[in-house]
Amino acid sequence: MKIISEKCKKCLVCIDACPVKAISKKGEEVTINGDICLECGCCASSCPNNAIEYE
Ligand code: SF4
Ligand code: SF4
């Protein structure tokens, strides 16, 4: 999964939506740790700005 930074409003809804806590805020960027991401799509479904996509 990847976060389209231009679309991301930093609302952090996706952080709570991720069952394995793969998403975190680093500085001003919200990022996904691909090493633990399950590609479940929960974050993409939760994002109100459609900022998360499958790679
Ligand atoms: S839910 Fe979407 S807009 Fe909100 S922080 Fe996550 S990626 Fe960004
Ligand atoms: S696809 Fe699932 S496991 Fe990966 S970051 Fe999104 S919610 Fe977390």
Side-chain angles (χ1 to χ4, degrees):
M1 309 297 293
K2 66 177 174 192
I3 295 177
I4 313 302
S5 57
E6 295 80 17
K7 289 186 178 180
C8 176
K9 303 283 194 241
K10 316 294 190 294
C11 69
L12 309 185
V13 165
C14 56
I15 290 180
D16 287 333
C18 179
V20 293
K21 303 197 185 320
I23 309 177
S24 59
K25 188 161 185 274
K26 292 199 172 70
E28 288 305 306
E29 290 293 303
V30 182
T31 59
I32 295 175
N33 182 344
D35 292 339
I36 53 176
C37 173
L38 305 172
E39 305 280 342
C40 67
C42 291
C43 54
S45 301
S46 75
C47 177
N49 300 297
N50 291 318
I52 309 179
E53 296 177 352
Y54 284 93
E55 295 193 78

